[in-house]
Every structure is written in C-alpha cells, then in structure tokens.
Amino acid sequence: MIEILPMSKEHIAQIAKIEKECFSQPWSEKALSEELTNDSAVFLTAVFNGEVIGYIGANFIIDEGYITNIAVTEVHRQKGIGCKLLSEMIEEAYKRNLSFLSLEVRVSNEKAISLYKKLGFDYVGIRKNFYEKPIEDGVVMTKHF
C-alpha cells in the first residue's frame, strides 16, 4: 500500500535520486534538506514498502500556494501516484484556506498537463523560455479555491 507522508530527513537521499532521474536541473540533497526548515514549504512523499517512489513540494505564502516540484519514479508512473500526491497537496491547500494553488509545467509535458486539468487546474498563461536544458516555454496553471 502506498502511504503519503510528510517529507523527513530520511527521505532526502531518495528524493534527490528521483530529482536526478526526472529533471535536467535537479534539486540537490542540500536544497531539499533546507526545505525541512522552511516554514512556508510543504513536501509530501509517496512511500511504498519503505521506498520513496514520488514526491510533491510547494510553498504556501499567506493565502497563496506554489507547487515547486512533483515527480514519480519512472517504474511507478501511470499508477495514479502523481494524482494521489497532487490530490493530497490540494487538500492541504484547502485546509489552510489558500486562495489558489499554482504551478508551471513544460509545454511538451502533455501527461502532466492532462493530470492538472483533471484535478481542476486552469490554463493561465505562458512563461517564455522558462525552462532550460532544453529551453522550453512553461505553461502556468492555477486552481482557485
């Protein structure tokens, strides 16, 4: 059974490994560790048999929420884990009375865009050349509460 748990220091090395697998500019273990002491950061992990197989991070500032990253290991994709993580973050944002939750996604990441739409995120705009390695536009999507 998959558990969704708050990120802890024991999860950092596994999350950093997922970062390297999924992103061209991954967060370091140091950067992830710093989020543990960041009062505005909310990080959740998907754990299966003691292994972190996915995670999501966000910053909640006043009544605004910004998702910083979400990733699932390649072998565990297409099993609803990303949906479960994002749903939990939406629930957390709702509990904290946020006005909205927003994110950026590569314009080419059609599967992620489809997931975000399914969970009520709307297209807001484009950030030109937002991503590097490769350079690509970012789609801004927001869910209002």
Side-chain angles (χ1 to χ4, degrees):
M1 184 169 131
I2 296 167
E3 294 180 277
I4 305 298
L5 304 170
M7 179 175 75
S8 68
K9 64 182 177 181
E10 292 79 21
H11 299 139
I12 298 295
Q14 292 177 71
I15 292 171
K17 185 177 174 186
I18 296 170
E19 276 280 313
K20 288 177 187 169
E21 176 188 326
C22 297
F23 300 115
S24 62
Q25 294 186 286
W27 285 33
S28 67
E29 285 189 36
K30 182 179 186 289
L32 289 162
S33 293
E34 288 171 354
E35 294 301 292
L36 291 170
T37 58
N38 177 351
D39 291 339
S40 68
V42 178
F43 274 71
L44 303 173
T45 59
V47 179
F48 180 68
N49 289 338
E51 176 189 0
V52 177
I53 59 171
Y55 71 96
I56 186 169
N59 283 298
F60 292 174
I61 303 162
I62 308 172
D63 68 340
E64 303 174 354
Y66 300 94
I67 294 175
T68 55
N69 36 12
I70 179 171
V72 174
T73 59
E74 190 170 357
V75 295
H76 293 294
R77 290 185 192 150
Q78 302 302 307
K79 298 178 182 177
I81 297 162
C83 184
K84 190 170 186 168
L85 284 163
L86 187 54
S87 295
E88 289 283 335
M89 188 63 77
I90 290 168
E91 183 63 29
E92 188 64 28
Y94 184 78
K95 282 186 214 172
R96 295 190 191 197
N97 294 314
L98 297 191
S99 297
F100 65 84
L101 197 53
S102 191
L103 57 84
E104 291 91 8
V105 58
R106 284 184 180 271
V107 71
S108 64
N109 195 341
E110 294 174 6
K111 287 182 181 177
I113 291 169
S114 176
L115 171 64
Y116 304 145
K117 286 180 180 177
K118 174 183 165 185
L119 293 178
F121 284 77
D122 296 315
Y123 172 88
V124 177
I126 293 282
R127 293 191 197 274
K128 288 287 185 193
N129 302 321
F130 183 75
Y131 291 99
E132 298 178 3
K133 297 182 182 181
I135 293 173
E136 188 171 3
D137 293 346
V139 175
V140 181
M141 300 184 77
T142 302
K143 178 178 180 70
H144 292 274
F145 298 104

